[in-house]
Amino acid sequence: MGDKGSIWLPDAMSTFANEVDALFWFVFWTSTVLFIAVVAAKVYFMLRYKRTDETSVPEPVHESKLLEAAWIVVPTILVLFVFIWGFDVYLKMNTDPTDAYQISVMGKQWAWEFEYAEGVTAFSEMYVPVGRPVKLMMNSQDVLHSFFIPAFRVKMDVIPNRYTSLWFEATEPGEYQIFCTEYCGTTHSGMLAKVVAVSEEDFAAWIAEQSQDLPPEQLGEQLFAQCAACHAVDGSAKIGPALNGRFGTDRKLADGSTVTFDENYIRQSILDPASQVAEGYQPIMPAGYSSMSAKQIDGLVAYIKALQ
Ligand code: CUA
C-alpha cells in the first residue's frame, strides 16, 4: 500500500496475514456466488411465472421437503465452516508466543511512543526484528486510540487505564504504515507511524545506536516526532503554528499580548500549552506533554532553536 492508498489489500507481511486474507476471500467469493445465484433465480422466476392475463389463477404450490432441508442444511454448514475457520485464526492471533519480544506502546494525542526493554524510546518509527514474534503491550495516556498495521492484519484498541496487547511476526524487511483507527480528536488522521522491520543484526545495531546518549539537539529531533502531527518545520501552518525560523522573534498571542519566542516560551508551551496560545490558533494542544523530563525539554528547545 503506497502513500496514496489503494482499494486492494496491502501485501500480506506477517505470518498469519495470509490466513486472514484466505478467510476474507472465502467469505467474499462465497457471498458473491450466492448473491449472483439468488438474483439470477429471482429474475428467472419473475419472467417464468409472469402473470399473462387478468383472469389466470396460479396452481397452488406445495412445499418440497427436500428443498427446505437443503436451504437449512447448506447455509448451516457454510456458517459453521466459517466460524470454525475464523475461530482457529482468531486463537492464533490472540495467543502470543511466550518467547515474543515485547515492546510497550503508548498512544497519546497525537503520536505513538514505543518503549523497548533495553531502555530505548522511539516515536515515529517502531523497529522490529524480522522472523521473531513481537508482542505489543499498549496503553493510552489520554483518550481511546486504536493501533492498526494493515500489512500485518492486526488492529487493537488502545485504552487509558488498561493494557491491551497484540502480537505479530514480520516475514520480510520493509516499512509498513501504522494508523490510528479510533477518532481521537483534531489530529486523529495525523497520528501516524511506521513499522520498520529489519534483520536481527540490524535490529541489535539499531538498539545499540539508540542506547547511546544523544546530544540535546538530536534528542530534540527524535522527540519532535510526537509534535509533527500538529507542528510543521517548513513554515506551513498545520493545526498548530510552524516552529521553524521563529526563535528570537516576537510572537503575538491570542489574548492580544506579545511575548518573545525564546527558551522560556517553548518550555512554557510544552508544560502548560493553554497559557500562551499563538494568535490565530485554538487552545487545543493536549496537556499530556507536561510529563516530559527537564532533559527532554532541553532537547526540544535546542532542536526548535536551531530550526531555520
Ligand atoms: Cu489516536 Cu485517532
Side-chain angles (χ1 to χ4, degrees):
M1 189 164 61
D3 287 342
K4 290 197 176 109
S6 158
I7 66 161
W8 306 109
L9 291 179
D11 291 340
M13 290 302 183
S14 70
T15 46
F16 45 59
N18 282 312
E19 291 182 61
V20 175
D21 288 5
L23 179 56
F24 169 78
W25 288 119
F26 177 79
V27 172
F28 179 84
W29 286 116
T30 311
S31 309
T32 305
V33 168
L34 287 175
F35 174 76
I36 292 171
V38 167
V39 173
K42 193 173 85 180
V43 172
Y44 171 75
F45 289 139
M46 276 162 59
L47 300 173
R48 171 74 178 74
Y49 298 104
K50 187 170 185 291
R51 196 181 191 192
T52 44
D53 74 279
E54 291 289 308
T55 56
S56 75
V57 176
E59 297 253 334
V61 178
H62 295 284
E63 84 276 14
S64 156
K65 289 278 190 309
L66 184 68
L67 194 61
E68 285 186 15
W71 77 46
I72 292 168
V73 172
V74 173
T76 304
I77 290 173
L78 214 50
V79 166
L80 281 177
F81 181 67
V82 170
F83 170 75
I84 291 165
W85 188 358
F87 193 60
D88 180 51
V89 178
Y90 173 85
L91 284 182
K92 260 181 219 161
M93 296 179 74
N94 282 274
T95 317
D96 50 282
T98 47
D99 61 343
Y101 179 80
Q102 190 167 315
I103 302 173
S104 296
V105 177
M106 178 68 83
K108 54 177 144 178
Q109 291 169 317
W110 289 279
W112 297 105
E113 182 174 331
F114 308 103
E115 276 200 51
Y116 292 77
E118 290 81 357
V120 169
T121 305
F123 295 96
S124 54
E125 290 175 334
M126 179 175 75
Y127 274 70
V128 299
V130 165
R132 185 160 152 204
V134 173
K135 181 183 183 182
L136 306 184
M137 279 306 276
M138 306 190 290
N139 202 346
S140 167
Q141 187 177 291
D142 36 49
V143 299
L144 292 176
H145 303 277
S146 182
F147 189 88
F148 182 30
I149 312 172
F152 294 171
R153 310 292 190 267
V154 290
K155 173 154 75 172
M156 181 53 74
D157 284 358
V158 177
I159 302 167
N161 302 321
R162 190 201 299 178
Y163 288 114
T164 53
S165 69
L166 61 77
W167 81 275
F168 57 79
E169 184 179 326
T171 51
E172 276 176 56
E175 291 194 6
Y176 310 108
Q177 187 68 50
I178 298 170
F179 290 109
C180 177
T181 48
E182 180 86 48
Y183 182 70
C184 55
T186 315
T187 314
H188 155 70
S189 60
M191 195 169 162
L192 304 169
K194 281 209 159 84
V195 183
V196 183
V198 293
S199 66
E200 283 280 357
E201 303 82 71
D202 289 351
F203 181 70
W206 179 80
I207 288 283
E209 188 193 318
Q210 298 295 309
S211 303
Q212 293 164 1
D213 254 351
L214 292 172
E217 199 180 319
Q218 265 172 275
L219 174 68
E221 181 174 10
Q222 195 188 74
L223 291 166
F224 193 80
Q226 299 170 89
C227 321
C230 301
H231 294 287
V233 293
D234 61 0
S236 59
K238 286 190 174 178
I239 198 76
L243 298 180
N244 57 310
R246 300 298 161 91
F247 198 85
T249 63
D250 283 344
R251 158 146 293 188
K252 274 213 139 132
L253 299 184
D255 65 7
S257 62
T258 304
V259 294
T260 305
F261 192 118
D262 60 5
E263 288 90 344
N264 279 316
Y265 176 72
I266 298 173
R267 182 172 177 278
Q268 178 73 9
S269 297
I270 295 168
L271 295 178
D272 187 6
S275 65
Q276 294 186 324
V277 179
E279 187 184 39
Y281 292 90
Q282 299 297 314
I284 52 167
M285 177 166 160
Y289 298 105
S290 58
S291 59
M292 282 195 174
S293 68
K295 193 178 165 190
Q296 290 175 316
I297 293 174
D298 281 352
L300 277 169
V301 168
Y303 173 69
I304 292 169
K305 194 172 173 178
L307 289 172
Q308 294 301 311

